[in-house]
Amino acid sequence: METPNHTSDIRFSEDLHTIEWIDIENAELDAERYLNDIENFFRRDSENNMPEEKVS
């Protein structure tokens, strides 16, 4: 299979973005806090929606 000659006009920026370790640590903390918030929401929601026992 032949590949056609292709010239690209795409220019790449010389200012490449690098990820620093602190960025990763902050993202992990945010994710953990987010998951805790979700867990707490569902816990409170289930506690508030518990059916009351009927007293006979």
Side-chain angles (χ1 to χ4, degrees), residues 41-55:
F41 170 80
F42 283 110
R43 183 180 299 115
R44 284 190 306 269
D45 188 55
S46 67
E47 290 170 355
N48 292 336
N49 291 328
M50 290 278 212
E52 296 181 19
E53 294 183 24
K54 293 183 179 180
V55 179

Side-chain angles (χ1 to χ4, degrees), residues 13-45:
S13 172
E14 294 296 325
D15 299 327
L16 298 176
H17 179 73
T18 57
I19 298 174
E20 301 292 331
W21 183 249
I22 191 72
D23 296 333
I24 295 169
E25 290 176 331
N26 289 338
E28 289 174 356
L29 292 174
D30 289 343
E32 185 174 334
R33 186 176 325 124
Y34 177 72
L35 292 175
N36 286 336
D37 289 346
I38 291 172
E39 182 179 332
N40 290 333
F41 170 80
F42 283 110
R43 183 180 299 115
R44 284 190 306 269
D45 188 55

